[in-house]
């Protein structure tokens, strides 16, 4: 990809509230989860649709979302505060020091395990994969155990999803973009929907507007992120790969290639486009590739290739015959080809020790993949220390 965040400088990563350097919004979500976990068990079962089962499902969702937040925090900043007390008033707020990354991921595993026990696979039908379900919790467990290189457990969790053929299944190659268009695609495990009819679509910002221009929107300005043609040539060496057609497009006015995964565009007025593409947290192709990664790490290459080739065959690229480290490289490349633009590839590189060109050995020693902690947070809490690489730089 081309754009301002290709050199590791973090100068143009846009989230709300001062950009991605602050973790404020994550802790807002965590506190809402803490409130649910604290209060809902005290409410009578009869108050919930479905009685005790419905009540437990809501508690499970809170555990899942809290675990998901902590997982992002752990991967992005490493050492962060562990705040599991429900805050009802400002007077209850306490300054907390950072906890080690391992303790944070322990919490992720604990929360996701509880969520898996409280939620059901039936939630995928009931809530059309736009609310958490048992598969979402298992997907989180698959990812956090892979992050910790506990691959035997990763294999258990990925299989727990893959083997639910009544609930999950890959789309065909021709319909490979369906998970972005249809919340209830059988390939989806958990997504954040963007339906205009349900007032979820976004009219500016977001990854859709940051990766598109004409002919996909009415904008003739070059988007924040676009595709380097050398990337397409190098990462998709097989020109028969259907993802070249389905995931990428071309703007003739700017003579650039575009990522078009998020190209479900409508118009409120002729000059007001909105985007309805789902933001995918977990989908089945991701689980097959995590399974392949786990099996390769466990020295079970024949089985690893079987899992990898499910995704490759769907994409019309043929089977991999690699073994050992070459197979690991094949899996890493396949994750780039399949999951580009879905918020996975940067963390894949950290987990699988595949560094971008700007990640020098000296930076890696200081865990320089972690992001800087916002100065506003450091100024308001003297118990917080800047991440090691960014000390004196930010």
């Amino acid at each position: 990809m081309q754009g301002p965040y290709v050199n590791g400088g973090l100068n143009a990563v846009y989230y709300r509230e001062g950009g991605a350097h602050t973790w404020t919004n994550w802790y807002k979500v965590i506190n809402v989860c803490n409130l649910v976990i604290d209060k809902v068990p005290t409410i009578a079962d009869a108050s919930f649709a479905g009685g005790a089962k419905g009540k437990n499902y809501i508690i499970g969702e809170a555990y899942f979302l809290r675990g998901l937040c902590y997982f992002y925090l752990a991967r992005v900043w490493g050492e962060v505060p562990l705040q599991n007390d429900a805050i009802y008033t400002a007077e209850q707020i306490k300054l907390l020091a950072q906890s080690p990354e391992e303790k944070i991921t322990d919490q992720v595993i604990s929360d996701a395990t509880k969520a898996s026990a409280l939620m059901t696979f039936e939630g995928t039908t009931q809530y059309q994969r736009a609310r958490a379900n048992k598969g979402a919790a298992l997907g989180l467990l698959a990812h956090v155990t892979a992050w910790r290189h506990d691959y035997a457990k990763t294999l258990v969790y990925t299989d727990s999803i893959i083997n639910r053929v009544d609930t999950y299944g890959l789309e065909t190659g021709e319909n490979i973009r369906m998970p972005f268009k249809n919340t209830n695609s059988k390939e989806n495990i958990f997504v954040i929907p963007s339906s205009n009819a349900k007032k979820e679509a976004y009219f500016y910002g977001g990854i859709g507007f940051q990766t598109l221009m004409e002919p996909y929107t009415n904008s003739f300005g070059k988007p924040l992120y676009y595709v380097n043609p050398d990337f397409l040539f190098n990462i998709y060496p097989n020109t028969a790969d259907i993802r070249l057609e389905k995931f990428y497009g071309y703007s003739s006015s700017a003579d650039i290639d575009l990522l078009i995964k998020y190209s479900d565009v409508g118009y409120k007025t002729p000059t007001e486009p909105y985007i309805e593409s789902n933001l995918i947290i977990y989908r089945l192709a991701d689980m097959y590739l995590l399974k392949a990664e786990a099996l390769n790490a466990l020295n079970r290459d024949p089985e690893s290739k079987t899992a990898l080739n499910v995704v490759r065959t769907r994409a019309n690229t043929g089977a991999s015959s690699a073994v050992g480290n070459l197979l690991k490289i094949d899996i890493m490349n396949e994750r780039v080809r399949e999951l580009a633009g879905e918020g996975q590839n940067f963390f894949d590189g950290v987990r699988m020790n595949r560094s971008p060109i700007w990640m020098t050995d000296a930076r890696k020693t200081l865990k320089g993949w972690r992001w800087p902690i916002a100065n506003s947070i450091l100024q308001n809490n003297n118990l917080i220390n800047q991440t090691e690489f960014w000390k004196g730089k930010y």
Side-chain angles (χ1 to χ4, degrees):
M1 298 289 286
Q2 293 288 106
Y5 179 55
V6 295
N7 64 353
L10 296 135
N11 293 321
V13 184
Y14 298 111
Y15 290 171
R16 296 191 180 96
E17 295 199 4
H21 301 180
T22 177
W23 58 44
T24 303
N25 283 335
W26 295 106
Y27 281 102
K28 287 181 179 179
V29 176
I30 286 170
N31 191 55
V32 171
C33 295
N34 290 340
L35 292 169
V36 171
I37 293 166
D38 182 59
K39 184 61 68 175
V40 169
T42 69
I43 302 174
D45 295 352
S47 299
F48 298 87
K53 185 176 180 180
K55 174 179 173 179
N56 286 337
Y57 201 103
I58 290 172
I59 298 170
E61 287 181 285
Y63 276 117
F64 168 76
L65 290 172
R66 188 173 74 177
L68 186 65
C69 287
Y70 276 130
F71 187 42
Y72 274 92
L73 288 166
R75 291 188 298 177
V76 172
W77 288 284
E79 299 174 353
V80 299
L82 189 62
Q83 166 57 291
N84 290 343
D85 293 329
I87 306 252
Y88 290 88
T89 67
E91 289 73 24
Q92 292 178 287
I93 297 174
K94 299 177 182 178
L95 297 181
L96 297 174
Q98 292 146 295
S99 293
E101 180 181 327
E102 184 178 7
K103 186 173 182 179
I104 301 300
T105 54
D106 282 344
Q107 184 66 52
V108 176
I109 292 170
S110 173
D111 282 352
T113 301
K114 291 175 182 176
S116 175
L118 290 165
M119 295 189 294
T120 64
F121 284 109
E122 287 73 23
T124 56
T125 301
Q126 185 176 1
Y127 303 120
Q128 296 196 343
R129 306 163 200 261
R131 283 174 57 177
N133 53 73
K134 188 179 185 74
L138 293 169
L140 177 55
L141 285 165
H143 267 280
V144 69
T145 52
W147 183 258
R148 289 163 58 125
H149 300 124
D150 190 355
Y151 282 117
K153 291 180 181 176
T154 304
L155 183 58
V156 171
Y157 295 128
T158 54
D159 273 344
S160 296
I161 295 170
I162 292 168
N163 292 339
R164 290 292 304 218
V165 295
D166 58 327
T167 306
Y168 305 110
L170 292 181
E171 296 284 354
T172 65
E174 186 61 30
N175 291 326
I176 200 169
R177 262 204 75 247
M178 190 59 67
F180 301 89
K181 297 168 64 72
N182 181 0
T183 300
N184 205 33
S185 164
K186 199 173 180 182
E187 184 163 338
N188 284 337
I189 299 171
F190 177 58
V191 305
I192 299 174
S194 300
S195 166
N196 186 56
K198 296 179 180 178
K199 303 185 184 303
E200 297 163 340
Y202 52 96
F203 288 81
Y204 60 90
I207 189 169
F209 287 108
Q210 292 174 3
T211 55
L212 298 175
M213 61 177 298
E214 72 77 28
Y216 302 95
T217 71
N218 60 352
S219 172
F220 281 81
K222 187 179 292 186
L224 186 65
Y225 299 104
Y226 54 95
V227 181
N228 184 326
D230 290 338
F231 164 82
L232 290 180
F233 178 79
N234 290 328
I235 204 65
Y236 296 92
N238 188 336
T239 57
D241 193 322
I242 199 166
R243 292 168 297 197
L244 281 169
E245 171 193 349
K246 300 296 184 179
F247 289 169
Y248 300 93
Y250 176 70
S251 173
S252 59
S253 65
D255 189 26
I256 58 173
D257 294 301
L258 304 170
L259 179 73
I260 61 169
K261 285 184 173 181
Y262 306 96
S263 58
D264 302 291
V265 180
Y267 286 85
K268 182 179 180 180
T269 70
T271 58
E272 292 181 284
Y274 57 80
I275 291 179
E276 294 190 283
S277 302
N278 299 316
L279 298 176
I280 295 177
I281 306 302
Y282 300 128
R283 61 184 175 99
L284 188 60
D286 174 18
M287 296 299 117
Y288 272 109
L289 295 174
L290 270 186
K291 177 178 180 177
E293 177 185 334
L295 286 164
N296 173 249
L298 295 169
N299 298 313
R300 295 164 61 179
D301 283 356
E303 296 165 272
S304 175
K305 281 185 284 190
T306 297
L308 169 63
N309 289 334
V310 170
V311 176
R312 291 177 60 91
T313 300
R314 193 262 296 264
N316 195 37
T317 60
S320 170
S321 59
V323 296
N325 192 59
L326 292 178
L327 178 57
K328 178 181 179 180
I329 293 171
D330 263 8
I331 295 166
M332 289 191 288
N333 286 338
E334 198 63 31
R335 287 190 67 83
V336 174
R337 285 188 281 264
E338 181 68 28
L339 304 172
E342 297 182 40
Q344 299 279 10
N345 294 154
F346 177 80
F347 299 119
D348 292 342
V350 175
R351 183 182 70 247
M352 302 178 80
N353 196 28
R354 180 179 185 173
S355 302
I357 57 175
W358 47 262
M359 184 66 71
T360 63
D361 289 342
R363 180 168 181 169
K364 189 184 298 185
T365 299
L366 297 174
K367 298 185 177 179
W369 60 83
R370 292 178 175 173
W371 291 14
I373 297 171
N375 285 323
S376 59
I377 292 172
L378 297 172
Q379 290 162 3
N380 289 326
N381 185 352
N382 61 9
L383 300 177
I384 301 295
N385 295 310
Q386 182 61 274
T387 50
E388 194 65 29
F389 173 79
W390 291 98
K391 288 179 179 177
K393 298 184 179 72
Y394 175 80

